[in-house]
Amino acid sequence: MFWPKDYTKKEVCKLSCWRNYSCDVLKGVDKAMVAEAFSKMGLTLNEDIKTVVASYEGRRANVDAVVCKDGQPISLGVIFDNGEDHLQILGDFWGTGFNEQKFTDELSRTYQRINVETRLTLMGYTIDELSFIENQDGSVEFEAYATA
């Protein structure tokens, strides 16, 4: 990354922005479905790494897994249950290439789609994969059939 000569390390560190997100949509999550949601977003979770580190300021936090992009850890981590039964995402979005709001919205939508598909399948429904329509408001419509 290119920085003008007049930037000091202290000033560069100010660009770091540590965040901590949880939301009701991601309450009582299933770890396997969370991992699948990250996979559908082109990311993986590494449960062997238990500390997330901010890319610029070096701030650290204990997590259940670190988010990886192209096999490399990035400065985001997850806690599957933050003590209030919510998935928590924490870390420093600066330098990850992700917009905080879009990232959390996409993760929530992707997780809930997997959750609904899994529940319908367990109830004996067949999902028509070709029927998926994503609406402008972010909601998704699809058809599911039950055979008698």
Side-chain angles (χ1 to χ4, degrees):
M1 184 175 287
F2 172 76
W3 295 105
K5 290 181 183 179
D6 58 340
Y7 274 91
T8 65
K9 184 174 181 179
K10 185 176 181 182
E11 289 169 325
V12 171
C13 289
K14 291 179 183 176
L15 298 174
S16 178
C17 193
W18 191 266
R19 296 286 189 230
N20 184 338
Y21 291 99
S22 63
C23 64
D24 289 335
V25 176
L26 295 173
K27 186 174 183 179
V29 298
D30 177 273
K31 284 169 66 169
M33 287 186 209
V34 171
E36 185 178 347
F38 273 100
S39 177
K40 287 184 181 273
M41 293 171 63
L43 304 167
T44 56
L45 290 177
N46 186 333
E47 291 187 66
D48 293 330
I49 304 174
K50 301 293 186 183
T51 303
V52 64
V53 180
S55 54
Y56 289 106
E57 67 181 14
R59 185 172 175 179
R60 298 171 174 270
N62 293 330
V63 293
D64 294 326
V66 169
V67 179
C68 295
K69 183 178 179 182
D70 299 324
Q72 297 299 312
I74 60 175
S75 56
L76 297 174
V78 298
I79 296 175
F80 294 108
D81 181 352
N82 68 353
E84 298 176 2
D85 201 29
H86 288 88
L87 178 80
Q88 184 175 1
I89 300 169
L90 64 157
D92 184 1
F93 276 86
W94 183 263
T96 64
F98 298 110
N99 171 282
E100 302 157 24
Q101 189 63 48
K102 288 180 182 178
F103 181 88
T104 54
D105 286 350
E106 183 179 353
L107 178 62
S108 297
R109 278 194 314 275
T110 304
Y111 177 84
Q112 289 304 335
R113 177 176 171 173
I114 293 165
N115 187 27
V116 169
E117 288 178 5
T118 300
R119 289 175 188 261
L120 286 172
T121 301
L122 290 173
M123 292 174 17
Y125 285 87
T126 301
I127 298 169
D128 181 358
E129 293 293 330
L130 299 176
S131 70
F132 276 91
I133 299 171
E134 187 165 337
N135 298 313
Q136 288 183 338
D137 65 357
S139 64
V140 176
E141 295 179 28
F142 61 92
E143 296 177 13
Y145 305 96
T147 54

